[in-house]
Amino acid sequence: MKNAEKIKDIHERIYQFILRVLNLTKSLPKTTQNIILIAQITRSVTSMGANDQEADGTDSRKDFIAKYSIVRKEGKETNYWLRLIEDTNPTFKNRMESLRQEGKEIVKIVSTIILN
């Protein structure tokens, strides 16, 4: 797979991840704790998508790397919030496993893109 194809694939993968996280937040019980976690994860995961799209439109390698560095940072933060949500909402444990795995894989892929 060529680099351009990999980049297109990661755009769609990030977008689908964002949708999954946002759908998760809709189904969480609206406890005082969860309301805070929902707000935090919504900010970090949507920032991943926005910066991914900005990276796609940059004119320079430097800007591309800067935007993807933000995607990686926000991805790591999103993974932190997912872990907290899982640990404070045990009934969601089964649903969280594949979501957390996808978050980790996206961060690894983005890290590789930055390095290459």
Side-chain angles (χ1 to χ4, degrees):
M1 188 179 291
K2 295 181 180 183
N3 272 348
E5 290 174 15
K6 285 182 186 176
I7 296 294
K8 292 215 182 303
D9 288 346
I10 193 62
H11 294 315
E12 184 60 24
R13 198 161 170 184
I14 288 170
Y15 183 79
Q16 292 302 319
F17 176 69
I18 293 164
L19 286 179
R20 288 179 65 196
V21 171
L22 293 176
N23 285 329
L24 167 72
T25 64
K26 289 181 199 175
S27 64
L28 287 170
K30 302 306 181 263
T31 64
T32 305
Q33 270 184 340
N34 281 344
I35 289 169
I36 293 166
L37 297 176
I38 290 166
Q40 293 288 352
I41 199 167
T42 298
R43 279 192 284 280
S44 65
V45 80
T46 55
S47 178
M48 282 179 72
N51 281 285
D52 171 60
Q53 289 303 299
E54 285 187 44
D56 192 38
T58 62
D59 293 332
S60 73
R61 176 93 178 126
K62 183 179 175 183
D63 284 345
F64 178 85
I65 291 170
K67 293 300 176 188
Y68 259 84
S69 294
I70 296 170
V71 173
R72 180 177 55 192
K73 178 182 82 71
E74 296 292 351
K76 291 179 123 198
E77 182 179 337
T78 297
N79 291 338
Y80 170 76
W81 297 124
L82 285 171
R83 183 175 176 207
L84 270 177
I85 289 168
E86 180 179 357
D87 289 344
T88 58
N89 294 273
T91 58
F92 282 76
K93 194 163 195 71
N94 289 340
R95 182 174 179 180
M96 301 296 291
E97 188 174 332
S98 71
L99 192 55
R100 287 191 57 213
Q101 183 61 38
E102 180 67 357
K104 289 176 189 175
E105 287 178 19
I106 288 172
V107 168
K108 285 181 185 176
I109 292 167
V110 169
S111 295
T112 300
I113 290 170
I114 292 167
L115 292 174
N116 294 329

